[in-house]
Amino acid sequence: MNFLPIVTRELRVVSRKPWIYWVRSIFGLAGIIVALMIFYEGSAWRTARGMEMLWGLSVITMLLALLSGCLLTADCISSEKREDTLGFLFLTNLKGYDVVTGKIAIHAVTTACGLLAVFPVFFLPILAGGVTWAETLRVLLGIGVSFLFALSLGVWISTRSCDARNAVLATLTVIVLVVALPLLWLAVLDEF
């Protein structure tokens, strides 16, 4: 638990930024908009509301989780390198894994606030019908795992990079390849 000094230091810095409130608001608003579109009386999805609502919510939340997770951590360690403050962290009794765990933890806390704001909206498809609790919990687990993958990928690329722009572009490229290539492969398989 040596990473706690890094987490408390970063939380003090990040908690004062006004964009944290915007992240929470955008996550919650996206979920509410999808739910209202499904419940709208003239919707084409009116017959099987629950499954389509769960699918729409999961796609939007998955994209938000992947993008926000990788974009927030893409420059966390490389910025310490550029500012020459990474060496100060290693002058303490912190190990390398403590620094990485602390960086992942602080960025997970800030973005998880947005994800937690949208999770209650995921239980509306159960009320609409056609969806079980188990399906909803599996979707939420998948979103959580992909969020942690995006955070880890961003930190890994940040350790390999020194420039902020290159780190962000590399992280976005890898996320797009990891998400889009399997979907493209499934589309090709369906055609043939």
Side-chain angles (χ1 to χ4, degrees):
M1 297 302 258
N2 287 336
F3 64 90
L4 288 177
I6 293 175
V7 172
T8 55
R9 185 189 105 196
E10 292 283 333
L11 271 177
R12 273 186 256 130
V13 171
V14 172
S15 66
R16 294 185 182 109
K17 297 189 179 192
W19 59 268
I20 295 291
Y21 300 107
W22 287 105
V23 167
R24 287 185 224 150
S25 301
I26 288 171
F27 271 100
L29 188 63
I32 289 171
I33 286 173
V34 169
L36 288 177
M37 284 174 39
I38 301 297
F39 276 124
Y40 177 65
E41 198 65 39
S43 175
W45 298 337
R46 189 76 178 146
T47 56
R49 290 184 280 187
M51 189 54 76
E52 279 77 16
M53 185 187 305
L54 182 66
W55 186 83
L57 285 171
S58 64
V59 166
I60 288 175
T61 308
M62 181 73 77
L63 288 174
L64 287 172
L66 285 172
L67 289 177
S68 65
C70 71
L71 289 178
L72 286 178
T73 57
D75 191 36
C76 65
I77 293 181
S78 59
S79 67
E80 297 272 352
K81 283 190 229 176
R82 279 193 315 276
E83 296 168 0
D84 289 332
T85 56
L86 190 61
F88 293 133
L89 291 175
F90 290 116
L91 287 176
T92 64
N93 59 355
L94 296 174
K95 304 283 186 244
Y97 59 83
D98 290 329
V99 173
V100 171
T101 307
K103 291 291 186 179
I104 289 176
I106 184 62
H107 291 292
V109 166
T110 58
T111 313
C113 292
L115 280 175
L116 289 176
V118 95
F119 278 2
V121 178
F122 271 90
F123 294 100
L124 285 176
I126 295 172
L127 296 175
V131 177
T132 63
W133 281 85
E135 290 170 330
T136 304
L137 292 177
R138 278 193 298 266
V139 166
L140 292 176
L141 181 66
I143 290 170
V145 168
S146 63
F147 171 65
L148 290 176
F149 168 72
L151 286 171
S152 302
L153 179 71
V155 170
W156 181 69
I157 290 178
S158 178
T159 59
R160 306 269 185 246
S161 179
C162 289
D163 185 33
R165 194 172 103 196
N166 290 341
V168 169
L169 287 176
T171 307
L172 283 176
T173 303
V174 171
I175 282 289
V176 165
L177 291 176
V178 165
V179 172
L181 283 182
L183 293 176
L184 184 64
W185 178 252
L186 289 174
V188 168
L189 285 179
D190 283 343
E191 285 296 319
F192 297 112

